Amino acid sequence: MKKNELNLELFIKALTKKTNESEIEWTIVAKNFYSNLIDRTLDGAIIKDAYYSDGKTGRVVVGKYEKKVYYEEDEYYLDDFFFLTLTDDRFNSPTSFLKYDDEIESKYSFPLELSKLHRLIQINTNNVKERFKNFFD
């Protein structure tokens, strides 16, 4: 690994492992902070879901946004994309990582691994396992 290279894949794997082992606690980001979560403008994108966790060196946000994908001039479909952002404890000074960023070595595994992590966080944060367990009680 070069001096300035970032290993996002390793970071996401560590987040996933620590989330699975309940070492990391995730919290839903309040919607009034959504405009601070991505460090650049994404035309027509709407953040749908975001979670954060605090660590020793700041805050990490894993989120999902919806965007129109055009396949002809006036024809499009809506698709979900995922992002990872590092920020401070007030959602200021974000540094975001998106699917097509140059720092991402494996462009194909990044969105997949991030989407899996997002889903895991969503299930844990919404206490789905416990809700299933007690649904019929």
Side-chain angles (χ1 to χ4, degrees):
M1 181 184 282
K2 297 176 189 171
K3 183 179 178 184
N4 291 329
E5 259 182 300
L6 302 173
N7 196 333
L8 287 168
E9 195 170 338
L10 186 63
F11 184 64
I12 292 169
K13 284 182 182 184
L15 285 173
T16 302
K17 181 177 187 263
K18 292 184 181 295
T19 299
N20 269 323
E21 295 171 354
S22 299
E23 290 181 41
I24 296 179
E25 188 173 318
W26 294 92
T27 306
I28 297 170
V29 176
K31 291 184 192 275
N32 59 310
F33 292 111
Y34 278 11
S35 62
N36 296 16
L37 298 183
I38 298 178
D39 62 1
R40 62 202 92 157
T41 302
L42 299 172
D43 289 333
I46 299 169
I47 295 178
K48 295 171 63 175
D49 226 1
Y51 303 91
Y52 74 89
S53 184
D54 291 324
K56 293 177 184 174
T57 60
R59 178 170 282 175
V60 65
V61 179
V62 175
K64 174 172 61 171
Y65 64 93
E66 180 180 82
K67 189 172 177 167
K68 292 178 183 177
V69 177
Y70 286 88
Y71 56 90
E72 289 194 27
E73 189 175 332
D74 292 332
E75 302 291 322
Y76 65 88
Y77 60 92
L78 296 174
D79 202 358
D80 288 336
F81 298 89
F82 297 88
F83 66 91
L84 182 137
T85 297
L86 298 174
T87 184
D88 67 11
D89 63 351
R90 294 191 177 165
F91 301 104
N92 292 317
S93 305
T95 301
S96 302
F97 299 95
L98 309 171
K99 179 179 180 175
Y100 298 109
D101 286 345
D102 291 338
E103 298 89 1
I104 300 169
E105 287 183 25
S106 179
K107 303 250 189 250
Y108 298 105
S109 66
F110 175 78
L112 178 61
E113 294 303 318
L114 199 53
S115 70
K116 287 179 181 179
L117 174 58
H118 184 273
R119 184 68 174 162
L120 175 63
I121 294 167
Q122 182 183 43
I123 288 169
N124 287 351
T125 303
N126 292 324
N127 205 17
V128 172
K129 186 177 178 181
E130 195 63 31
R131 291 166 76 183
F132 278 171
K133 182 179 166 186
N134 295 317
F135 188 78
F136 297 105
D137 291 345

